[in-house]
Amino acid sequence: MPRARWSLGPYVTTGTAALTVPDDAASTDGPVLFSPLTLRGVTFPNRVWLAPMCQYSVTAQDGVPTDWHLVHLGARVTGGFGLVLTEAAAVVPEGRISPEDTGLWNDAQTEAWRRVVEFAHTQSPYGSTPIGVQLAHAGRKASTYAPWRGAGDGSGTGRGSVAEADGGWPTVGPSALAFDGFTAPAALTLQEVAGVVDAFAAAARRADEAGFDVVEIHAAHGYLLHQFLSPLANARTDAYGGDFAGRTRLVVETAAAVRAVWPEHKPLFVRISATDWVEGGWSVEESTRLTGVLAGHGVDLVDVSSGGADPRQEITTGPGYQVPFADAVSAAGLPVAAVGEITDPAQAEKILVDGHADAVLLARAGLREPAWPQRAAHELGVDRHDGPYPDQYTRGAWS
Ligand SMILES: Cc1cc2nc3c(=O)[nH]c(=O)nc-3n(C[C@H](O)[C@H](O)[C@H](O)COP(=O)(O)O)c2cc1C
């Protein structure tokens, strides 16, 4: 029987029934990977979730998701993922990573996302699949190229800043410190920092209008919120820099502002980079401490990634290489999701059974195999009749 790892942590506010985290896994036979998980009022039908992945597919450069996003995300819904997260959707135009990124700052984008959400809610093997939007601002790493587009020199490296003549824009950051090969950003004024918080909250309101079930705040991978967290990117001397309280202030204010407008019954996630992988950078200890603070501001789960803030990072990759970070951060008492080179069903199940994380996120494995959860269910012994198949696909069930 899988071990239950829920405890009612400090984030459970007494008197608010919606915040109770029931121990779904303990009452379910079979693999933990295919046991439900309830956070606030949303039940995830399983614990294998699609990680956020930029598709660089907004050809009109207007931030409006396209048919590509519908088909790409829809295929992972029908493939049986228990939560589908969108790519990083920018909260303001200048927060896009590339000109081809999606956004959530206007009505046209909200309407286009609604179509994707409705697909997840009506065409799912589970009847309805929860779908979340990752809200993001790329800061000094904005205005760059899709990975397969050259930096104007035919190199195909996808690095560096897109010139304004080619649809790029000036970037902003905590300090006027350039990221490797990028144009230097302008340091945000205090008023502009407040504007970032407002933009995240406005986008969260739109996410609710579009029908999303989850908002994930992107505070990882060297993008704007992570730039504030990391002493390697944040040299501010005002209230948003310096010590732990200063560097975390923007993330905490953003989470609180989003929570204030995001419906009480809907879960709020934050993605963090647990470490910069550079001496003197943001650390696992600070990540755990931040998670504890976020728990007090209504965040329900931390999605634990790493890296992206500094080119000197020396990352040791390998199967499940970030799982120990998820495990460490879970000491703060919030549910955590693990991500990074999780590719094999037995490996994913073991991460959960061993109590290292409460859910796993797949990115690249989900690109090459949109119906990964269907194969995983089979390999983990789930009867084909109980597998996550839409009716249309049951004749192709693994057996
Ligand atoms: C094509 C692609 C696009 C990605 N875009 C995002 C993104 O928009 N937001 C994000 O937080 N991570 C993004 N990532 C990182 C993934 O979510 C994930 O953390 C990383 O790929 C490690 O997981 P994996 O080993 O399962 O691929 C992206 C990864 C890939 C491969």
Side-chain angles (χ1 to χ4, degrees), residues 2-30:
R3 109 164 228 249
R5 64 182 310 279
W6 289 116
S7 60
L8 297 180
Y11 60 99
V12 178
T13 318
T14 49
T16 314
L19 298 184
T20 306
V21 181
D23 182 2
D24 293 328
S27 59
T28 311
D29 287 327

Side-chain angles (χ1 to χ4, degrees), residues 202-221:
R205 247 190 241 108
R206 289 189 176 282
D208 184 45
E209 269 169 55
F212 281 109
D213 306 289
V214 170
V215 157
E216 174 169 282
I217 296 170
H218 195 353
H221 301 167

Side-chain angles (χ1 to χ4, degrees), residues 51-54 87-88 134 218 221 271 305 339-342 361-364 367:
M53 277 183 284
C54 286
E87 66 185 33
Q134 188 187 51
H218 195 353
H221 301 167
R271 174 168 264 202
S305 189
V339 65
E341 295 201 28
I342 300 170
L361 290 152
L362 272 60
R364 288 164 293 177
L367 285 186

Side-chain angles (χ1 to χ4, degrees), residues 50 53-59 64-76 87 100 102 112-113 115-116 119 148 366-367 370:
L50 186 76
M53 277 183 284
C54 286
Q55 296 297 296
Y56 311 99
S57 296
V58 180
T59 40
V64 179
T66 64
D67 284 355
W68 178 269
H69 300 90
L70 175 67
V71 173
H72 162 70
L73 295 169
R76 276 79 195 166
E87 66 185 33
E100 292 82 22
T102 58
W113 280 122
R115 184 164 165 246
V116 179
F119 185 92
W148 61 85
L367 285 186

Side-chain angles (χ1 to χ4, degrees), residues 181-195:
F182 285 62
T183 307
L188 288 165
T189 64
L190 282 176
Q191 201 182 352
E192 289 167 339
V193 171

Side-chain angles (χ1 to χ4, degrees), residues 114-125:
R114 193 198 304 276
R115 184 164 165 246
V116 179
V117 170
E118 280 174 2
F119 185 92
H121 286 172
T122 57
Q123 306 296 327
S124 155

